Amino acid sequence: MKKQIKYLILATLFVSLVLPETASSQRWGGRWKPGFWDKWSVNVNGGLTSFFGDLSLYDTDIADKLSKESGPAFGLVLSKHINDKFAISGQLLYGTLKGQNSTTVFNANVLELNLQGRVYFINLFSPDNLSNFDVYGYLGAGQFTFKSEQYKIEDPSDISIEDTGTPEFVYFFGFGFEYQFTEKFGMTLDMGMRQAQNDKLDDMVKNKNYDYYSYLSIGFTYYIESFKKSSRKGGRSSSRSRGRAPMRRR
């Protein structure tokens, strides 16, 4: 698992570095610095959450992991874009998990609320980027609650339940791809890995190793230029007046 995570990070950095920069002659005459009420986005997403822990058998088999140890999930991400390179986001996530070994089966649901920092790699390494595509990475922390039910295969009626009474900490990182179709709408493909600060997600404490869960999702984004009703003054020229495609969230 650790090797797979490293490969994903390296692949993300490689893509962001090899993409060519746009000629500086096409660059905007200046970059507008948004205020607090400017440059927001809302992303609604859905996909699969997958479990990694004592009761997981397919950590290295992606197909079986998604089909046998994953469950449906959905989330909501609200982002404030500081500029075209960085953003601060809050996320609400609900997911379901499952897993088993030769003797034991478990099912769980997870509710998570987190705060994360995001960096847009293409804009970071290529300031003259004018495309509607970007690769982003994020890192954050939050709290989550879960309820897990475990039972033995030989006796399904004997159910053990682990239900968190109070929220617990979770740390995570991830990366994704974003494409903006118009000035208002876009699409994302996202993958995040989370580390629970306990070994109880599958209701089996063993070897003092923390459990993990991932979230693979497809999302749709709505971009909010500004919550203010009045038009901004002294900003940059519109993308249409320069003969370019609709501008991204900058």
Side-chain angles (χ1 to χ4, degrees), residues 7-171:
Y7 292 152
L8 289 175
I9 295 175
L10 290 174
T12 301
L13 292 174
F14 176 76
V15 170
S16 63
L17 287 172
V18 299
L19 285 174
E21 293 188 357
T22 306
S24 59
S25 61
Q26 296 179 340
R27 186 175 181 177
W28 288 315
R31 291 185 179 272
W32 173 62
K33 295 181 180 180
F36 178 78
W37 297 109
D38 306 312
K39 300 301 182 185
W40 291 75
S41 65
V42 179
N43 179 270
V44 178
N45 48 77
L48 295 172
T49 40
S50 306
F51 174 73
F52 298 83
D54 298 316
L55 291 182
S56 63
L57 300 176
Y58 305 105
D59 293 353
T60 59
D61 189 326
I62 296 178
D64 283 340
K65 170 62 68 175
L66 294 178
S67 63
K68 298 179 181 180
E69 294 181 348
S70 303
F74 58 89
L76 178 70
V77 179
L78 176 65
S79 299
K80 161 59 184 170
H81 299 274
I82 300 173
N83 51 39
D84 62 343
K85 303 177 182 66
F86 302 100
I88 298 175
S89 304
Q91 181 182 36
L92 178 65
L93 170 65
Y94 176 82
T96 56
L97 304 170
K98 61 182 178 180
Q100 71 178 72
N101 58 19
S102 59
T103 62
T104 307
V105 177
F106 96 97
N107 295 279
N109 56 66
V110 175
L111 180 63
E112 176 188 317
L113 181 64
N114 67 60
L115 185 67
Q116 55 190 258
R118 295 189 169 214
V119 55
Y120 293 86
F121 290 119
I122 296 181
N123 287 334
L124 183 65
F125 293 108
S126 179
D128 297 327
N129 172 41
L130 301 178
S131 72
N132 292 337
F133 174 78
D134 214 328
V135 180
Y136 62 86
Y138 56 88
L139 181 70
Q143 291 189 310
F144 76 108
T145 60
F146 67 91
K147 182 178 180 180
S148 178
E149 296 183 352
Q150 182 200 111
Y151 62 89
K152 301 295 183 182
I153 296 178
E154 60 183 17
D155 186 10
S157 63
D158 184 13
I159 299 176
S160 173
I161 298 177
E162 177 69 32
D163 193 352
T164 55
T166 58
E168 302 193 26
F169 281 103
V170 61
Y171 302 98

Side-chain angles (χ1 to χ4, degrees), residues 28 236-245:
W28 288 315
R236 63 188 182 194
S237 302
S238 69
S239 58
R240 296 186 185 278
S241 66
R242 297 296 186 90
R244 297 196 309 268

Side-chain angles (χ1 to χ4, degrees), residues 214-228:
S214 65
Y215 180 39
L216 176 64
S217 67
I218 295 176
F220 295 92
T221 304
Y222 178 73
Y223 302 96
I224 303 170
E225 180 72 10
S226 178
F227 284 107
K228 298 178 182 179

Side-chain angles (χ1 to χ4, degrees), residues 155-200:
D155 186 10
S157 63
D158 184 13
I159 299 176
S160 173
I161 298 177
E162 177 69 32
D163 193 352
T164 55
T166 58
E168 302 193 26
F169 281 103
V170 61
Y171 302 98
F172 61 92
F173 71 93
F175 75 99
F177 304 91
E178 177 187 61
Y179 185 81
Q180 187 170 348
F181 301 111
T182 69
E183 292 183 358
K184 292 293 186 180
F185 297 100
M187 184 176 181
T188 58
L189 176 61
D190 190 285
M191 171 67 179
M193 177 63 72
R194 286 139 162 91
Q195 183 190 60
Q197 296 304 290
N198 62 56
D199 190 30
K200 302 177 182 178

